[in-house]
Amino acid sequence: MSDFQLRRLGLLMEPEPGNPLEAEGVLNPAAVRGPDGRLCLFPGLVARGNHSRIGIARVLFNGIGDPAGVERLGIALEPEMDYELRPDGTGGCEIRVSRLSNRSDVTS
């Protein structure tokens, strides 16, 4: 058995009420700690009609160091090309983040 322990803290991020980019969900975030030490999430944001984007959110911590919420920072990737802008929905979000030197690359 491992000495590693997990503790369930609860929900960290959910769809923001009234945000059309998150109307059908916020899901499957990738996470990376930046060079400044801050923890960022890259969640899939799903708008009506299954139109997906990848957002950026900074994790906020409470006084004892537990994650307590997020600050939304914008969009990392969104559909731009004709083949990504299909009327029947655009893409799934299997988000991956890789650290390469001093930058983080996001793929979907």
XYZ file of all heavy atoms in Angstrom:
810
model
N 0.829 -1.185 0.000
C 0.000 0.000 0.000
C 0.875 1.252 0.000
O 1.901 1.300 0.659
C -0.819 -0.029 1.277
C -2.307 0.233 1.315
S -3.113 0.088 -0.116
C -4.518 0.232 -0.483
N 0.433 2.270 -0.670
C 1.159 3.532 -0.745
C 0.811 4.429 0.438
O -0.277 4.358 0.999
C 0.784 4.226 -2.052
O 1.277 5.541 -2.066
N 1.729 5.292 0.802
C 1.465 6.283 1.844
C 0.775 7.522 1.289
O 0.484 8.455 2.026
C 2.773 6.700 2.523
C 3.362 5.593 3.365
O 2.578 4.738 3.852
O 4.589 5.568 3.530
N 0.550 7.544 -0.023
C -0.102 8.681 -0.669
C -1.559 8.744 -0.238
O -2.267 7.749 -0.260
C 0.002 8.524 -2.193
C -0.397 9.742 -2.957
C 0.457 10.827 -3.048
C -1.630 9.815 -3.578
C 0.096 11.955 -3.756
C -1.999 10.930 -4.278
C -1.131 12.013 -4.375
N -2.027 9.925 0.163
C -3.401 10.104 0.638
C -4.118 11.141 -0.218
O -3.539 12.167 -0.566
C -3.392 10.600 2.085
C -2.695 9.685 3.045
C -3.671 8.810 3.801
O -4.770 9.229 4.081
N -3.251 7.610 4.109
N -5.362 10.861 -0.533
C -6.219 11.810 -1.245
C -7.323 12.272 -0.311
O -7.789 11.517 0.539
C -6.855 11.164 -2.474
C -5.927 10.812 -3.614
C -6.707 10.127 -4.727
C -5.223 12.038 -4.146
N -7.749 13.523 -0.496
C -8.853 14.069 0.288
C -9.774 14.816 -0.666
O -9.338 15.724 -1.366
C -8.287 15.015 1.347
C -9.303 15.607 2.262
C -8.636 16.344 3.434
N -7.589 17.248 3.017
C -7.689 18.579 3.047
N -8.780 19.152 3.481
N -6.687 19.324 2.642
N -11.034 14.408 -0.724
C -12.004 15.061 -1.611
C -12.390 16.408 -1.009
O -12.843 16.488 0.124
C -13.239 14.200 -1.787
C -14.211 14.759 -2.804
C -15.393 13.836 -3.040
N -14.987 12.531 -3.508
C -14.730 12.220 -4.775
N -14.832 13.143 -5.713
N -14.388 11.002 -5.127
N -12.195 17.482 -1.800
C -12.496 18.828 -1.314
C -13.815 19.365 -1.852
O -14.372 20.285 -1.279
C -11.367 19.793 -1.702
C -10.000 19.467 -1.100
C -8.942 20.396 -1.656
C -10.053 19.558 0.412
N -14.292 18.836 -2.971
C -15.536 19.311 -3.553
C -15.335 19.870 -4.947
O -14.275 19.731 -5.556
N -16.342 20.535 -5.432
C -16.366 21.073 -6.788
C -15.520 22.341 -6.883
O -15.659 23.253 -6.066
C -17.818 21.375 -7.168
C -18.108 21.752 -8.598
C -17.725 20.624 -9.537
C -19.580 22.068 -8.745
N -14.638 22.400 -7.865
C -13.761 23.550 -8.029
C -14.268 24.507 -9.105
O -14.186 25.711 -8.962
C -12.349 23.069 -8.367
C -11.269 24.127 -8.441
C -11.088 24.812 -7.097
C -9.963 23.499 -8.889
N -14.805 23.952 -10.196
C -15.255 24.782 -11.313
C -16.499 24.165 -11.911
O -16.560 22.964 -12.134
C -14.154 24.889 -12.366
C -14.474 25.792 -13.519
S -13.049 25.929 -14.633
C -13.650 27.189 -15.749
N -17.485 24.987 -12.171
C -18.711 24.554 -12.823
C -19.103 25.615 -13.839
O -18.531 26.709 -13.837
C -19.821 24.323 -11.799
C -20.199 25.540 -10.990
C -21.203 25.204 -9.902
O -22.059 24.355 -10.136
O -21.119 25.801 -8.830
N -20.064 25.324 -14.730
C -20.456 26.333 -15.714
C -20.866 27.635 -15.036
O -21.571 27.633 -14.027
C -21.637 25.689 -16.439
C -21.411 24.224 -16.280
C -20.794 24.069 -14.916
N -20.396 28.721 -15.583
C -20.718 30.045 -15.066
C -22.119 30.445 -15.542
O -22.369 30.478 -16.751
C -19.677 31.043 -15.573
C -19.803 32.434 -15.047
C -18.677 33.309 -15.550
O -18.363 33.276 -16.758
O -18.103 34.017 -14.720
N -23.036 30.721 -14.625
C -24.397 31.087 -15.032
C -24.394 32.270 -15.996
O -23.692 33.262 -15.772
C -25.081 31.462 -13.716
C -24.302 30.749 -12.665
C -22.878 30.727 -13.169
N -25.135 32.124 -17.080
C -25.248 33.193 -18.062
C -24.122 33.272 -19.074
O -24.159 34.089 -19.980
N -23.109 32.426 -18.948
C -21.997 32.446 -19.899
C -22.336 31.513 -21.060
O -22.336 30.291 -20.892
C -20.697 32.001 -19.215
C -19.491 32.106 -20.128
O -19.613 32.141 -21.343
N -18.320 32.145 -19.530
N -22.622 32.051 -22.238
C -23.025 31.200 -23.361
C -21.943 30.223 -23.816
O -22.258 29.182 -24.384
C -23.364 32.196 -24.470
C -22.668 33.456 -24.105
C -22.571 33.470 -22.602
N -20.674 30.519 -23.555
C -19.599 29.606 -23.942
C -19.564 28.360 -23.073
O -18.921 27.371 -23.420
C -18.242 30.317 -23.881
C -18.057 31.519 -24.795
C -16.660 32.085 -24.625
C -18.340 31.168 -26.238
N -20.266 28.391 -21.916
C -20.275 27.267 -20.983
C -21.671 26.676 -20.799
O -21.914 25.909 -19.871
C -19.724 27.728 -19.622
C -18.309 28.256 -19.710
C -17.763 28.763 -18.387
O -18.390 28.532 -17.332
O -16.693 29.391 -18.404
N -22.591 27.009 -21.708
C -24.003 26.629 -21.553
C -24.218 25.124 -21.427
O -25.128 24.685 -20.736
C -24.821 27.177 -22.720
N -23.388 24.320 -22.093
C -23.567 22.859 -22.034
C -22.508 22.159 -21.196
O -22.482 20.942 -21.130
C -23.627 22.280 -23.446
C -24.893 22.691 -24.169
C -25.107 21.964 -25.483
O -24.377 20.998 -25.787
O -26.008 22.386 -26.216
N -21.628 22.927 -20.558
C -20.707 22.287 -19.640
C -19.304 22.849 -19.605
O -18.867 23.570 -20.496
N -18.615 22.504 -18.523
C -17.192 22.768 -18.302
C -16.620 21.418 -17.901
O -17.065 20.817 -16.931
C -16.989 23.789 -17.171
C -15.526 23.948 -16.843
C -17.604 25.130 -17.538
N -15.637 20.906 -18.665
C -15.239 19.531 -18.416
C -13.781 19.236 -18.715
O -13.115 19.993 -19.405
C -16.121 18.583 -19.231
C -16.402 19.009 -20.673
C -15.611 18.177 -21.636
C -17.878 18.893 -20.928
N -13.329 18.111 -18.166
C -12.030 17.486 -18.453
C -10.852 18.462 -18.499
O -10.117 18.505 -19.478
C -12.084 16.733 -19.781
C -13.094 15.634 -19.782
O -13.482 15.131 -18.739
N -13.540 15.256 -20.956
N -10.601 19.238 -17.436
C -9.490 20.190 -17.526
C -8.126 19.513 -17.466
O -7.931 18.522 -16.767
C -9.688 21.073 -16.290
C -10.384 20.204 -15.317
C -11.283 19.308 -16.144
N -7.213 20.059 -18.231
C -5.793 19.756 -18.052
C -5.283 20.775 -17.043
O -5.892 21.825 -16.848
C -5.051 19.891 -19.377
N -4.182 20.483 -16.381
C -3.630 21.401 -15.388
C -2.130 21.528 -15.584
O -1.457 20.582 -15.989
C -3.928 20.898 -13.977
N -1.617 22.716 -15.299
C -0.176 22.964 -15.373
C 0.168 24.047 -14.357
O -0.622 24.958 -14.122
C 0.258 23.370 -16.802
C -0.311 24.705 -17.212
C 1.765 23.374 -16.938
N 1.325 23.915 -13.760
C 1.836 24.951 -12.873
C 2.821 25.772 -13.698
O 3.769 25.242 -14.269
C 2.514 24.330 -11.657
C 2.660 25.306 -10.520
C 3.029 24.642 -9.218
N 1.955 23.941 -8.565
C 0.998 24.498 -7.814
N 0.965 25.801 -7.675
N 0.085 23.751 -7.228
N 2.565 27.069 -13.783
C 3.389 27.948 -14.602
C 4.715 28.289 -13.950
O 4.962 27.947 -12.785
N 5.580 28.992 -14.670
C 6.888 29.372 -14.133
C 6.765 30.253 -12.892
O 7.665 30.300 -12.067
C 7.565 30.134 -15.272
C 6.686 30.030 -16.451
C 5.386 29.411 -16.039
N 5.617 30.942 -12.752
C 5.389 31.784 -11.580
C 4.847 30.993 -10.390
O 4.580 31.546 -9.330
C 4.431 32.928 -11.916
C 3.057 32.446 -12.375
O 2.817 31.218 -12.444
O 2.207 33.308 -12.667
N 4.659 29.669 -10.565
C 4.175 28.822 -9.493
C 2.664 28.713 -9.404
O 2.132 27.927 -8.638
N 1.954 29.503 -10.181
C 0.494 29.462 -10.153
C -0.024 28.239 -10.897
O 0.544 27.833 -11.907
C -0.089 30.729 -10.769
C 0.210 31.948 -9.944
C -0.420 33.167 -10.542
N -0.167 34.313 -9.688
C -0.383 35.549 -10.055
N -0.877 35.814 -11.251
N -0.134 36.539 -9.238
N -1.124 27.684 -10.379
C -1.741 26.516 -10.992
C -2.859 26.980 -11.923
O -3.755 27.711 -11.502
C -2.306 25.586 -9.909
C -2.953 24.296 -10.404
C -1.950 23.431 -11.156
C -3.546 23.532 -9.224
N -2.781 26.558 -13.179
C -3.806 26.927 -14.163
C -4.506 25.680 -14.682
O -3.895 24.617 -14.817
C -3.201 27.697 -15.326
S -2.702 29.361 -14.871
N -5.787 25.840 -14.977
C -6.586 24.790 -15.608
C -6.896 25.203 -17.036
O -7.046 26.394 -17.329
C -7.900 24.587 -14.857
C -7.822 24.175 -13.401
C -9.228 24.038 -12.820
C -7.048 22.885 -13.245
N -7.008 24.214 -17.900
C -7.416 24.412 -19.287
C -8.639 23.522 -19.517
O -8.517 22.408 -20.016
C -6.268 24.068 -20.236
C -5.124 25.032 -20.144
C -4.144 24.872 -19.185
C -5.057 26.115 -20.998
C -3.094 25.767 -19.070
C -4.011 27.022 -20.907
C -3.033 26.851 -19.939
N -9.835 24.011 -19.126
C -11.048 23.193 -19.235
C -11.662 23.265 -20.627
O -11.511 24.268 -21.338
C -11.991 23.836 -18.216
C -11.595 25.287 -18.244
C -10.096 25.281 -18.441
N -12.360 22.206 -20.991
C -13.203 22.250 -22.180
C -14.454 23.053 -21.846
O -15.086 22.815 -20.817
N -14.776 24.027 -22.661
C -15.980 24.844 -22.499
C -16.918 24.479 -23.639
O -16.522 24.566 -24.802
C -15.645 26.337 -22.570
C -14.494 26.835 -21.695
C -14.248 28.311 -21.939
C -14.770 26.552 -20.229
N -18.131 24.076 -23.324
C -19.052 23.608 -24.356
C -20.252 24.537 -24.434
O -21.044 24.650 -23.489
C -19.511 22.158 -24.102
C -20.339 21.655 -25.278
C -18.307 21.246 -23.864
N -20.394 25.204 -25.585
C -21.527 26.091 -25.842
C -22.673 25.286 -26.463
O -22.505 24.110 -26.819
C -21.093 27.214 -26.783
N -23.819 25.897 -26.595
C -24.976 25.229 -27.204
C -24.595 24.672 -28.574
O -23.815 25.253 -29.301
C -26.134 26.206 -27.377
C -26.714 26.623 -26.061
C -28.200 26.937 -26.145
N -28.689 27.583 -24.951
C -28.740 27.043 -23.741
N -28.316 25.828 -23.559
N -29.198 27.710 -22.706
N -25.139 23.509 -28.875
C -24.850 22.872 -30.156
C -23.535 22.118 -30.164
O -23.020 21.792 -31.227
N -22.956 21.864 -28.994
C -21.700 21.132 -28.871
C -20.529 21.857 -29.535
O -19.669 21.249 -30.166
C -21.829 19.706 -29.417
C -20.660 18.827 -29.007
O -20.114 18.974 -27.921
N -20.264 17.930 -29.887
N -20.485 23.173 -29.403
C -19.372 23.965 -29.936
C -18.367 24.174 -28.809
O -18.653 24.863 -27.835
C -19.870 25.297 -30.503
C -20.706 25.107 -31.724
N -20.154 24.944 -32.970
C -22.039 25.009 -31.886
C -21.118 24.765 -33.851
N -22.274 24.799 -33.219
N -17.194 23.554 -28.947
C -16.209 23.507 -27.867
C -15.078 24.500 -28.055
O -14.657 24.796 -29.173
C -15.594 22.108 -27.786
O -16.575 21.160 -27.518
N -14.571 24.956 -26.930
C -13.380 25.790 -26.853
C -12.558 25.278 -25.684
O -13.054 24.536 -24.849
C -13.758 27.244 -26.594
C -14.422 27.909 -27.766
C -15.146 29.181 -27.337
N -15.767 29.815 -28.476
C -16.895 29.415 -29.043
N -17.561 28.391 -28.563
N -17.390 30.034 -30.092
N -11.311 25.744 -25.588
C -10.495 25.456 -24.419
C -10.275 26.769 -23.692
O -9.758 27.733 -24.264
C -9.155 24.812 -24.792
C -9.403 23.481 -25.506
C -8.287 24.614 -23.555
C -8.162 22.823 -26.044
N -10.696 26.807 -22.445
C -10.548 28.010 -21.635
C -9.258 27.989 -20.830
O -8.508 27.010 -20.822
N -9.016 29.108 -20.144
C -7.892 29.228 -19.213
C -8.467 29.735 -17.897
O -9.207 30.715 -17.875
C -6.838 30.241 -19.693
C -6.378 29.941 -21.116
C -5.659 30.284 -18.728
C -5.527 31.053 -21.708
N -8.110 29.073 -16.801
C -8.563 29.512 -15.484
C -7.433 29.331 -14.475
O -6.731 28.320 -14.493
C -9.779 28.705 -15.047
N -7.244 30.318 -13.618
C -6.248 30.233 -12.552
C -6.928 29.695 -11.300
O -7.995 30.158 -10.921
C -5.660 31.613 -12.268
C -4.589 31.598 -11.183
C -3.983 32.971 -10.945
N -3.369 33.446 -12.168
C -3.584 34.669 -12.675
N -4.387 35.515 -12.083
N -2.989 35.028 -13.784
N -6.310 28.722 -10.652
C -6.866 28.152 -9.432
C -6.590 29.092 -8.264
O -5.469 29.583 -8.092
C -6.267 26.755 -9.148
C -6.790 26.199 -7.836
C -6.592 25.801 -10.292
N -7.637 29.353 -7.479
C -7.532 30.196 -6.290
C -7.490 29.299 -5.053
O -8.198 28.288 -4.997
C -8.739 31.137 -6.211
C -8.967 32.005 -7.445
C -10.266 32.783 -7.318
C -7.785 32.945 -7.668
N -6.683 29.651 -4.079
C -6.513 28.842 -2.873
C -6.999 29.609 -1.650
O -6.894 30.835 -1.589
C -5.039 28.465 -2.706
C -4.539 27.566 -3.800
C -4.025 28.090 -4.975
C -4.598 26.188 -3.658
C -3.575 27.256 -5.998
C -4.143 25.346 -4.670
C -3.643 25.883 -5.837
N -7.513 28.869 -0.658
C -7.941 29.492 0.589
C -6.747 29.670 1.530
O -5.600 29.346 1.173
C -9.078 28.696 1.245
C -8.665 27.300 1.684
O -7.490 27.004 1.856
N -9.646 26.430 1.859
N -6.996 30.156 2.715
C -5.946 30.468 3.678
C -5.110 29.294 4.143
O -3.983 29.481 4.605
N -5.643 28.082 4.037
C -4.854 26.909 4.453
C -4.240 26.165 3.269
O -3.693 25.082 3.425
C -5.685 25.957 5.350
C -6.913 25.423 4.617
C -6.063 26.631 6.650
C -7.635 24.318 5.371
N -4.363 26.775 2.073
C -3.699 26.208 0.903
C -4.511 25.240 0.075
O -3.980 24.628 -0.849
N -5.809 25.085 0.379
C -6.663 24.200 -0.417
C -7.249 24.956 -1.610
O -7.602 26.135 -1.477
C -7.821 23.662 0.422
C -7.378 22.663 1.468
O -6.315 22.034 1.278
O -8.092 22.508 2.477
N -7.392 24.303 -2.765
C -8.062 24.950 -3.896
C -9.487 25.325 -3.493
O -10.196 24.534 -2.876
C -8.077 23.871 -4.978
C -7.109 22.838 -4.537
C -6.989 22.934 -3.064
N -9.898 26.563 -3.831
C -11.201 27.055 -3.384
C -12.066 27.603 -4.514
O -13.229 27.899 -4.306
C -10.999 28.136 -2.327
N -11.525 27.748 -5.701
C -12.280 28.297 -6.824
C -11.343 28.612 -7.962
O -10.157 28.248 -7.926
N -11.867 29.289 -8.971
C -11.050 29.656 -10.129
C -11.332 31.098 -10.542
O -12.396 31.642 -10.271
C -11.299 28.732 -11.346
C -10.905 27.306 -11.049
C -12.723 28.829 -11.844
N -10.359 31.677 -11.204
C -10.518 32.956 -11.874
C -10.403 32.678 -13.368
O -9.366 32.193 -13.832
C -9.412 33.924 -11.430
C -9.408 35.226 -12.193
C -8.192 36.088 -11.886
O -7.292 35.636 -11.138
O -8.129 37.202 -12.433
N -11.464 32.939 -14.110
C -11.443 32.701 -15.555
C -10.595 33.775 -16.223
O -10.784 34.958 -15.969
C -12.868 32.712 -16.101
C -13.642 31.456 -15.734
C -15.135 31.643 -15.963
N -15.870 30.406 -15.852
C -16.232 29.836 -14.704
N -15.903 30.385 -13.548
N -16.894 28.694 -14.700
N -9.679 33.324 -17.090
C -8.742 34.238 -17.733
C -8.972 34.397 -19.229
O -8.307 35.210 -19.854
C -7.301 33.766 -17.481
C -6.888 33.687 -16.015
C -5.478 33.111 -15.898
C -6.976 35.044 -15.343
N -9.874 33.614 -19.800
C -10.144 33.754 -21.227
C -10.134 32.424 -21.960
O -10.339 31.366 -21.377
N -9.865 32.513 -23.253
C -9.911 31.364 -24.148
C -8.495 31.082 -24.667
O -7.807 31.985 -25.135
C -10.846 31.641 -25.353
C -12.250 32.009 -24.884
C -10.860 30.474 -26.321
C -12.971 30.914 -24.145
N -8.079 29.808 -24.583
C -6.774 29.397 -25.116
C -6.886 29.014 -26.589
O -6.061 29.413 -27.403
C -6.219 28.225 -24.312
N -7.894 28.206 -26.929
C -8.119 27.758 -28.304
C -9.607 27.765 -28.601
O -10.412 27.390 -27.749
C -7.593 26.332 -28.510
C -6.102 26.096 -28.455
C -5.794 24.594 -28.494
C -5.397 26.797 -29.599
N -9.951 28.173 -29.812
C -11.347 28.101 -30.241
C -11.401 27.808 -31.728
O -10.429 28.030 -32.445
C -12.100 29.381 -29.909
C -11.596 30.625 -30.594
C -12.329 31.859 -30.111
O -13.489 31.754 -29.701
O -11.732 32.940 -30.162
N -12.537 27.285 -32.205
C -12.654 26.954 -33.632
C -12.480 28.207 -34.500
O -13.044 29.256 -34.204
C -14.089 26.425 -33.755
C -14.484 26.030 -32.379
C -13.748 26.958 -31.462
N -11.661 28.062 -35.541
C -11.419 29.166 -36.473
C -11.532 28.740 -37.935
O -11.976 29.513 -38.764
C -10.023 29.751 -36.240
C -9.845 30.382 -34.885
C -8.414 30.868 -34.654
O -7.504 30.465 -35.423
O -8.213 31.644 -33.719
N -11.091 27.521 -38.239
C -11.059 27.060 -39.621
C -12.439 26.559 -40.050
O -13.242 26.146 -39.207
C -10.025 25.936 -39.776
C -8.629 26.310 -39.299
S -7.931 27.745 -40.155
C -7.681 27.046 -41.763
N -12.689 26.555 -41.356
C -13.985 26.116 -41.870
C -14.372 24.728 -41.362
O -15.501 24.504 -40.949
C -13.993 26.116 -43.405
C -14.002 27.522 -43.991
O -14.347 28.465 -43.244
O -13.673 27.663 -45.173
N -13.417 23.786 -41.373
C -13.744 22.422 -40.945
C -14.044 22.351 -39.447
O -14.646 21.399 -38.981
C -12.631 21.440 -41.319
C -11.334 21.632 -40.567
C -11.119 20.977 -39.358
C -10.335 22.445 -41.064
C -9.938 21.146 -38.660
C -9.151 22.613 -40.381
C -8.955 21.967 -39.182
O -7.776 22.139 -38.505
N -13.623 23.370 -38.683
C -13.905 23.401 -37.241
C -15.252 24.069 -36.933
O -15.734 23.963 -35.814
C -12.819 24.192 -36.506
C -11.441 23.586 -36.606
C -10.378 24.479 -36.003
O -10.368 25.690 -36.284
O -9.549 23.953 -35.246
N -15.807 24.735 -37.898
C -17.031 25.514 -37.688
C -18.256 24.826 -38.275
O -19.171 25.480 -38.762
C -16.856 26.909 -38.298
C -15.733 27.739 -37.669
C -15.460 28.997 -38.473
C -16.057 28.072 -36.226
N -18.294 23.504 -38.213
C -19.432 22.745 -38.740
C -20.709 23.105 -37.981
O -20.673 23.335 -36.769
C -19.171 21.248 -38.584
C -17.980 20.716 -39.310
C -17.881 19.196 -39.170
N -18.174 18.710 -37.828
C -17.266 18.444 -36.896
N -15.996 18.630 -37.147
N -17.616 17.983 -35.715
N -21.842 23.101 -38.650
C -23.106 23.413 -37.960
C -23.538 22.332 -36.973
O -24.328 22.600 -36.074
C -24.115 23.555 -39.094
C -23.516 22.885 -40.272
C -22.030 22.938 -40.090
N -22.986 21.112 -37.090
C -23.390 20.019 -36.202
C -22.487 19.888 -34.973
O -22.508 18.885 -34.277
C -23.426 18.693 -36.963
C -22.060 18.302 -37.515
O -21.206 19.188 -37.712
O -21.850 17.104 -37.745
N -21.719 20.898 -34.680
C -20.846 20.856 -33.507
C -19.392 20.821 -33.907
O -19.052 20.427 -35.007
N -18.554 21.266 -33.023
C -17.127 21.343 -33.331
C -16.304 20.734 -32.224
O -16.135 21.290 -31.157
C -16.681 22.805 -33.543
O -17.104 23.575 -32.420
C -17.267 23.389 -34.787
N -15.837 19.567 -32.493
C -14.802 18.967 -31.693
C -15.166 18.479 -30.317
O -16.134 18.901 -29.718
N -14.328 17.591 -29.863
C -14.338 17.173 -28.482
C -13.131 17.796 -27.827
O -12.261 18.312 -28.495
N -13.099 17.753 -26.549
C -11.966 18.359 -25.851
C -11.252 17.331 -25.006
O -11.592 17.112 -23.851
C -12.435 19.522 -24.987
S -12.757 21.001 -25.924
N -10.287 16.683 -25.588
C -9.355 15.837 -24.846
C -8.094 16.673 -24.739
O -7.199 16.596 -25.564
C -9.115 14.514 -25.572
C -10.312 13.603 -25.585
C -10.758 13.214 -24.170
O -9.911 13.050 -23.268
O -11.974 13.099 -23.978
N -8.053 17.499 -23.736
C -7.029 18.536 -23.620
C -5.760 17.971 -23.002
O -5.801 17.257 -22.016
C -7.573 19.697 -22.773
C -8.862 20.222 -23.403
C -6.543 20.807 -22.651
C -9.762 20.924 -22.444
N -4.632 18.336 -23.597
C -3.323 17.936 -23.092
C -2.457 19.187 -22.975
O -2.504 20.061 -23.836
C -2.628 16.959 -24.048
C -3.433 15.723 -24.366
C -3.547 14.800 -23.157
N -4.263 13.588 -23.487
C -5.533 13.359 -23.167
N -6.230 14.266 -22.539
N -6.105 12.219 -23.486
N -1.672 19.270 -21.922
C -0.729 20.370 -21.739
C 0.639 19.757 -21.525
O 0.796 18.846 -20.713
C -1.100 21.257 -20.527
C -0.066 22.343 -20.319
C -2.475 21.870 -20.704
N 1.638 20.251 -22.241
C 3.008 19.770 -22.098
C 3.928 20.945 -21.852
O 3.816 21.972 -22.524
C 3.469 19.047 -23.366
O 2.656 17.935 -23.613
N 4.816 20.805 -20.898
C 5.796 21.849 -20.642
C 6.986 21.628 -21.568
O 7.599 20.569 -21.568
C 6.240 21.832 -19.197
C 7.402 22.756 -19.035
C 7.560 23.604 -17.851
N 6.524 24.151 -17.100
C 6.070 25.392 -17.296
N 6.459 26.112 -18.311
N 5.203 25.886 -16.473
N 7.287 22.640 -22.362
C 8.444 22.619 -23.254
C 9.271 23.846 -22.928
O 8.847 24.962 -23.192
C 8.003 22.665 -24.719
C 7.102 21.513 -25.181
C 6.633 21.750 -26.601
C 7.831 20.191 -25.081
N 10.390 23.643 -22.300
C 11.275 24.734 -21.901
C 10.523 25.664 -20.959
O 10.012 25.224 -19.942
C 11.799 25.454 -23.154
O 12.724 26.446 -22.800
N 10.393 26.935 -21.307
C 9.710 27.900 -20.444
C 8.308 28.232 -20.903
O 7.752 29.256 -20.550
C 10.530 29.198 -20.362
C 11.755 29.027 -19.504
O 11.752 28.218 -18.584
N 12.806 29.747 -19.823
N 7.694 27.365 -21.706
C 6.343 27.619 -22.154
C 5.517 26.346 -22.044
O 6.072 25.255 -21.957
C 6.314 28.164 -23.566
C 6.717 27.149 -24.609
C 6.620 27.730 -25.987
N 6.147 26.714 -26.890
C 6.482 26.624 -28.141
N 7.272 27.533 -28.674
N 6.008 25.672 -28.897
N 4.218 26.521 -22.031
C 3.317 25.369 -21.998
C 2.527 25.344 -23.298
O 1.985 26.365 -23.716
C 2.359 25.464 -20.811
O 3.063 25.358 -19.611
N 2.486 24.196 -23.965
C 1.733 24.044 -25.202
C 0.454 23.290 -24.916
O 0.460 22.279 -24.214
C 2.558 23.288 -26.253
C 3.737 24.105 -26.746
O 3.651 25.338 -26.696
O 4.730 23.509 -27.179
N -0.665 23.784 -25.465
C -1.977 23.182 -25.249
C -2.430 22.587 -26.565
O -2.359 23.216 -27.612
C -3.003 24.240 -24.800
C -4.372 23.617 -24.616
C -2.538 24.937 -23.529
N -2.915 21.340 -26.521
C -3.462 20.688 -27.704
C -4.809 20.096 -27.359
O -5.134 19.868 -26.201
C -2.542 19.578 -28.233
O -2.427 18.575 -27.247
C -1.181 20.113 -28.614
N -5.595 19.863 -28.391
C -6.908 19.232 -28.197
C -7.065 18.145 -29.238
O -6.553 18.221 -30.316
C -7.992 20.280 -28.358
O -9.258 19.687 -28.419
